[in-house]
C-alpha cells in the first residue's frame, strides 16, 4: 500500500506510514497566481493500492476538492484501489433536509468521493446526528473508526485522577463516555436536562455524584466550546475537583480554548484529526490498524 498525505494531513500521513513500515509517497501541490491548485503525483501508482490521508477541517471546500483532484488523478494513472482516509469529515451534520430546498450535504460529499473512483472510505467519529451507520450514506465500503480508546488510554497513562468518573455532556455523548469508561475501568454518567417549570430547566448528572471526584469529560467535537463550558459549570456546582476534557475533533472556533480554561477546566486535549494546540493524541495507530486489514 502506498500512503499519500494531502495538504491537510501531511504529518498524520507520515505517522501512519511509519507504523506501517512504509514511506510516504510524494505529491507536488502548489497554487497558481489565480488561486487554482496544481497537483502532480510523483510516484508510479499503476496497479497499486493507495491510501490518501486528507482531513477536511477549517477549509473544507479546499481540502475536499484537493482530495478529489488527488483521487481522480490516481484513478487516471492506473491505481488498482483508492482508499480515502478523511479523519474529520466535513458536512456530516446536515444528514437530513429540514427545510424545503436544503442540500443534504453529507450525501453530496459521499457522491463526490465515490465519483472519482474511491473504492473504500474511512473516517473517525463522524459527527452524524440522525444516521448512526455511515455505510448507509456510501455505496462503497465505509468505516467510522473510533478514537475514544486512544483518548482514554492517553488520560490513563499521562494524567493522575483521584476517584475518577467519566461524564458525557449530553445524551448523545453517552456512547463516547461509556467507551472511555471501559478503558479507564471506571463508571460513567451523562448530564440531563430536567424541566422544573415553564421558565426553569435544571441540568445535572443523571445518577452519579461527582462531589470530591476527578472528572474526565468526553465528547466527539469542540466547536465554540459552549457545551463544555456549561458542563463545567454544572460539575463545579456539584463539587467536582479536577476536570479533564477530551475530544476527538478540536475545531476550537474563535476563542473556544480560552473560554474552556476560563470556565475552570484543568486540562483540555484532543486528537490530530485537526491539528491544534491541544492535539496530544495521534490517530495514526487507529488508522494504521484499520489499513492493515484492507484486502487489496
Amino acid at each position: 500500500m502506498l500512503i499519500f498525505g494531502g495538504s491537510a494531513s501531511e504529518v498524520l500521513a507520515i505517522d501512519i506510514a511509519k507504523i506501517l513500515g512504509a514511506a510516504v509517497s510524494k505529491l507536488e501541490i502548489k497554487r497558481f497566481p489565480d488561486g487554482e491548485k496544481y497537483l502532480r503525483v510523483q510516484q508510479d501508482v499503476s496497479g497499486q493500492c493507495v491510501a490518501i490521508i486528507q482531513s477536511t477541517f477549517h477549509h473544507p471546500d479546499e481540502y475536499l476538492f484537493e482530495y478529489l483532484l488527488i483521487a481522480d488523478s490516481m484513478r487516471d494513472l492506473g491505481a488498482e484501489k483508492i482508499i480515502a482516509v478523511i479523519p474529520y469529515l466535513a458536512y456530516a451534520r446536515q444528514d437530513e433536509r429540514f427545510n424545503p430546498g436544503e442540500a443534504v450535504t453529507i450525501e453530496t460529499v459521499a457522491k463526490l468521493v465515490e465519483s472519482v473512483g474511491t473504492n473504500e472510505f474511512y473516517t473517525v467519529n463522524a459527527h452524524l446526528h440522525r444516521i448512526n451507520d455511515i455505510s448507509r450514506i456510501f455505496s462503497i465500503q465505509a468505516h467510522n473508526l473510533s478514537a475514544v480508546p486512544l483518548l482514554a488510554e492517553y488520560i490513563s497513562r499521562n494524567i493522575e485522577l483521584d476517584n475518577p468518573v467519566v461524564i458525557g455532556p449530553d445524551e448523545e455523548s453517552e456512547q463516547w463516555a461509556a467507551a472511555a469508561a471501559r478503558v479507564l475501568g471506571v463508571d460513567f454518567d451523562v448530564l440531563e436536562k430536567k424541566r422544573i417549570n415553564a421558565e426553569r430547566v435544571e441540568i445535572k448528572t443523571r445518577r452519579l455524584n461527582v462531589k470530591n471526584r476527578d472528572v474526565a469529560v468526553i465528547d466527539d467535537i469542540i466547536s465554540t466550546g459552549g457545551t463544555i463550558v456549561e458542563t463545567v459549570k454544572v460539575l463545579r456546582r456539584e463539587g467536582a475537583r479536577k476536570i479533564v476534557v477530551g475530544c476527538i475533533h478540536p475545531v476550537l472556533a474563535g476563542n473556544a480554548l480560552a473560554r474552556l480554561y476560563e470556565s475552570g477546566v484543568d486540562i483540555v486535549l484532543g486528537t490530530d484529526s485537526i491539528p491544534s494546540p491541544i492535539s496530544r493524541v495521534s490517530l495514526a495507530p487507529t488508522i494504521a490498524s484499520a489499513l492493515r486489514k484492507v484486502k487489496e
Side-chain angles (χ1 to χ4, degrees):
M1 182 183 294
L2 302 177
I3 308 295
F4 290 85
S7 298
S9 303
E10 291 176 305
V11 174
L12 179 56
I14 292 170
D15 291 341
I16 292 168
K18 284 180 179 177
I19 294 173
L20 294 173
V24 172
S25 302
K26 295 295 183 180
L27 296 171
E28 182 183 0
I29 301 173
K30 58 186 180 182
R31 196 177 293 279
F32 290 108
D34 64 356
E36 295 177 3
K37 278 197 172 181
Y38 168 89
L39 169 74
R40 181 184 172 214
V41 180
Q42 295 181 300
Q43 185 164 345
D44 181 14
V45 298
S46 179
Q48 299 293 320
C49 175
V50 300
I52 304 166
I53 320 298
Q54 176 79 326
S55 210
T56 53
F57 57 89
H58 298 335
H59 307 286
D61 298 355
E62 175 184 349
Y63 290 144
L64 176 60
F65 183 70
E66 184 178 294
Y67 171 81
L68 300 176
L69 282 178
I70 297 168
D72 196 44
S73 298
M74 291 187 176
R75 178 179 63 175
D76 288 347
L77 292 168
E80 179 70 23
K81 184 170 186 175
I82 298 172
I83 301 168
V85 180
I86 302 182
Y88 177 72
L89 178 60
Y91 294 111
R93 300 182 196 216
Q94 185 82 17
D95 55 8
E96 186 174 304
R97 183 172 288 113
F98 302 99
N99 298 298
E102 285 184 342
V104 184
T105 53
I106 186 58
E107 293 183 0
T108 302
V109 168
K111 291 171 187 174
L112 288 170
V113 168
E114 292 174 1
S115 72
V116 292
T118 307
N119 303 106
E120 197 164 348
F121 179 87
Y122 289 85
T123 189
V124 179
N125 293 103
H127 195 65
L128 302 169
H129 288 290
R130 286 143 293 274
I131 298 174
N132 57 15
D133 185 353
I134 201 166
S135 65
R136 290 172 52 195
I137 301 169
F138 289 84
S139 59
I140 59 176
Q141 289 188 65
H143 313 271
N144 192 17
L145 307 176
S146 178
V148 173
L150 289 176
L151 279 175
E153 288 164 8
Y154 181 92
I155 292 170
S156 177
R157 290 195 308 267
N158 297 281
I159 302 173
E160 186 175 343
L161 298 176
D162 184 23
N163 191 22
V165 60
V166 175
I167 297 292
D170 49 35
E171 290 185 2
E172 185 181 18
S173 64
E174 183 170 2
Q175 57 186 307
W176 304 302
R182 283 194 295 271
V183 174
L184 292 170
V186 301
D187 207 347
F188 74 93
D189 201 355
V190 297
L191 299 188
E192 64 177 7
K193 293 181 181 180
K194 181 180 180 181
R195 182 163 294 281
I196 306 302
N197 53 45
E199 293 80 30
R200 185 182 168 203
V201 174
E202 183 181 66
I203 304 175
K204 62 179 183 178
T205 50
R206 186 169 56 191
R207 57 186 176 83
L208 294 181
N209 187 346
V210 300
K211 187 174 182 180
N212 295 324
R213 303 183 72 176
D214 291 344
V215 177
V217 178
I218 303 294
D219 208 355
D220 66 330
I221 186 169
I222 297 178
S223 294
T224 64
T227 298
I228 300 299
V229 167
E230 291 304 312
T231 298
V232 172
K233 287 181 182 178
V234 173
L235 295 176
R236 290 297 184 201
R237 185 191 70 214
E238 296 197 0
R241 292 185 300 193
K242 184 187 293 184
I243 298 178
V244 177
V245 173
C247 74
I248 292 121
H249 305 300
V251 174
L252 302 180
N255 66 339
L257 188 56
R259 289 183 67 199
L260 294 177
Y261 282 118
E262 287 170 358
S263 73
V265 173
D266 295 287
I267 300 171
V268 188
L269 59 97
T271 80
D272 55 357
S273 71
I274 302 174
S276 76
I278 66 167
S279 297
R280 307 183 192 182
V281 181
S282 176
L283 293 175
T286 292
I287 295 172
S289 177
L291 292 179
R292 277 200 187 100
K293 301 173 184 176
V294 171
K295 295 180 180 180
E296 298 187 26

